[in-house]
Amino acid sequence: QVQLVESGGGLVQPGGSLRLSCVASGSALTLWRMGWYRQGAGRERELVAAITSGGTTEYEDSVKGRFTISRDGAKNTVHLQMNSLKPDDTAVYSCNARNRMGIVPKYNIWGQGTQVTVSS
């Protein structure tokens, strides 16, 4: 069974940086799209950034220019470099892996989440 293991969350001051990592284990195939979602207090869950196995990326508007998503050569490890952090970035960040819609095999996998708190 595939598991996503996250690390890198913590408490930082505004303007600081964090680097989140997500490692997929137990998969015999290349995961099509891996990314990060977040949910702050009183907010709906939203996509922060995602990257496909082919290298196509997408970002939520408020993090463009501040966050960078990347995958390693094995394609099943993803990182999120977060710079110039703001209090509004405070949220639980969850790693996700899914296939393209309508494509077999079907999968939609979630990590346990890691807390990011930006506060002075």
Side-chain angles (χ1 to χ4, degrees), residues 22-41:
C22 176
V23 179
S25 62
S27 178
L29 53 82
T30 299
L31 301 171
W32 178 252
R33 193 187 84 154
M34 299 184 69
W36 293 92
Y37 290 74
R38 69 183 180 187
Q39 185 169 19

Side-chain angles (χ1 to χ4, degrees), residues 18-96:
L18 286 173
R19 185 173 187 257
L20 305 182
S21 296
C22 176
V23 179
S25 62
S27 178
L29 53 82
T30 299
L31 301 171
W32 178 252
R33 193 187 84 154
M34 299 184 69
W36 293 92
Y37 290 74
R38 69 183 180 187
Q39 185 169 19
R43 304 285 299 276
E44 296 182 357
R45 187 173 64 185
E46 64 180 358
L47 176 68
V48 181
I51 184 168
T52 69
S53 60
T56 301
T57 60
E58 60 182 296
Y59 294 92
E60 193 272 328
D61 286 344
S62 70
V63 309
K64 290 179 179 177
R66 300 189 296 121
F67 293 8
T68 302
I69 192 168
S70 61
R71 293 176 75 146
D72 68 8
K75 303 293 185 181
N76 286 346
T77 299
V78 66
H79 308 281
L80 184 67
Q81 179 66 46
M82 305 186 295
N83 298 327
S84 301
L85 284 162
K86 306 174 181 179
D88 283 349
D89 295 319
T90 296
V92 175
Y93 286 70
S94 300
C95 185
N96 171 261

